[in-house]
Amino acid sequence: MSLSDLFGGDPFVPAQQVRIEPIQQRSTARLSGLLDAAATVVDEVGFDRITTAMVAERAGASIGTVYRYYPDRVAVLQALRERAVLRFRHRVSEQLKISAAKNWWDTVDVAITAFVDLYRSEPGFRIMHFSDREGASSVEDPESGFFARRVAAMLVEEFGLAGGDELILRLEVAVEMGDSILSRAFRIDPQGDERFIVECRVVTHDYLAGYYGPNVR
C-alpha cells in the first residue's frame, strides 16, 4: 500500500462551503489569504468569537470579498478545518516515508508527533476541534473514521495485525482519546504542556497494546 493510497480519498469534499470556485491564480491566492487571516484570528480570539468582519480586516479585504467565497463564518471555519486536515495528512505521509517504522506503535506515534508539531507550528491548527454547534455537532466526524480505516489497512499489511471492524473501532477510540488529551495540552500553552503530550502517548500505546501486544515506547 502506498502512502498516497493511505491518505488519499475524500471523507468530505474539500472547500465544499465555497460559494464561487476560484479558477484563476489570483483568486486562489486571495482565498488562501482569507484562510491565513482566519487562522490568525482563531489563534487570537478562538473560533467561537471569530466573525467574517474580523477575517476581512485581518486579510486587508472587504467584507464583500469574504462573502464572495464564503456565505458565513461557519463556512470559513469549515474550510479552514479542511485545510488543516489535509496538511495533517500530508505531514503524516511525509514522516512515514522517512521514519522506517518497525512496528505498529512506530506508525501510530508518527501520527501523534505530526499532530503535536502542527499544533506548535501551524497557525489556527486548533480549528481541528471545530464543529458546527448550530446543527452539525451530532453528525459523525468523517475524518476520524477515514484516518482509522487507512491506518488500519497499513497496520494489517505492514505488521500483520488482525484487520476488520474491531481494529478500525479501536483505532477510532485511540484517535478520540489522543485528540482530547492533546487538546488539553495546548489549551493554554501554544507549545503544549509536555506532561499531557507524554500521557497522550502512554494512554494511546497502552490501550492498543492491550489488544495487539506491547512495543517499546
Side-chain angles (χ1 to χ4, degrees):
M1 173 176 293
S2 70
L3 292 172
S4 60
D5 290 335
L6 176 61
F7 293 103
D10 57 338
F12 48 66
V13 178
Q16 61 186 348
Q17 296 297 321
V18 175
R19 271 183 166 171
I20 299 175
E21 183 70 22
I23 59 175
Q24 298 178 350
Q25 185 174 1
R26 184 174 60 183
S27 295
T28 302
R30 183 178 297 124
L31 183 60
S32 179
L34 291 175
L35 292 182
D36 290 343
T40 300
V41 176
V42 163
D43 282 343
E44 290 175 349
V45 305
F47 48 71
D48 288 322
R49 295 176 56 196
I50 192 173
T51 66
T52 51
M54 291 178 183
V55 174
E57 180 179 3
R58 181 51 59 96
S62 68
I63 192 69
T65 298
V66 178
Y67 285 130
R68 180 185 177 196
Y69 296 106
Y70 301 106
D72 52 38
R73 60 177 291 279
V74 171
V76 175
L77 293 172
Q78 287 175 336
L80 182 61
R81 184 181 187 277
E82 289 170 3
R83 188 175 76 167
V85 166
L86 293 175
R87 289 181 176 180
F88 169 66
R89 291 187 201 164
H90 178 74
R91 179 68 64 90
V92 173
S93 178
E94 290 300 307
Q95 290 302 309
L96 284 173
K97 289 178 183 178
I98 64 176
S99 68
K102 297 181 176 61
N103 51 55
W104 64 262
W105 172 246
D106 287 348
T107 302
V108 174
D109 193 49
V110 162
I112 295 174
T113 298
F115 209 76
V116 169
D117 288 348
L118 285 169
Y119 251 119
R120 289 171 171 165
S121 63
E122 176 78 9
F125 193 69
R126 69 179 65 186
I127 197 66
M128 291 287 283
H129 298 287
F130 170 75
S131 62
D132 179 7
R133 291 176 175 81
E134 290 143 19
S137 58
S138 62
V139 178
E140 180 182 0
D141 180 4
E143 179 59 24
S144 175
F146 170 87
F147 188 80
R149 288 192 300 274
R150 298 307 168 94
V151 172
M154 185 174 186
L155 296 182
V156 169
E157 183 166 321
E158 296 294 327
F159 306 113
L161 269 64
D165 292 341
E166 288 188 349
L167 175 58
I168 294 170
L169 172 64
R170 289 163 186 164
L171 286 170
E172 283 199 70
V173 170
V175 167
E176 293 295 334
M177 292 191 301
D179 184 59
S180 295
I181 297 170
L182 290 179
S183 176
R184 172 60 182 83
F186 287 90
R187 185 176 300 168
I188 298 173
D189 185 351
Q191 292 303 305
D193 186 326
E194 193 63 34
R195 299 171 303 167
F196 283 90
I197 295 171
V198 169
E199 287 303 307
C200 173
R201 287 187 160 92
V202 171
V203 169
T204 305
H205 174 274
D206 290 356
Y207 168 71
L208 292 172
Y211 295 103
Y212 304 109
N215 282 290
V216 177
R217 289 195 301 275

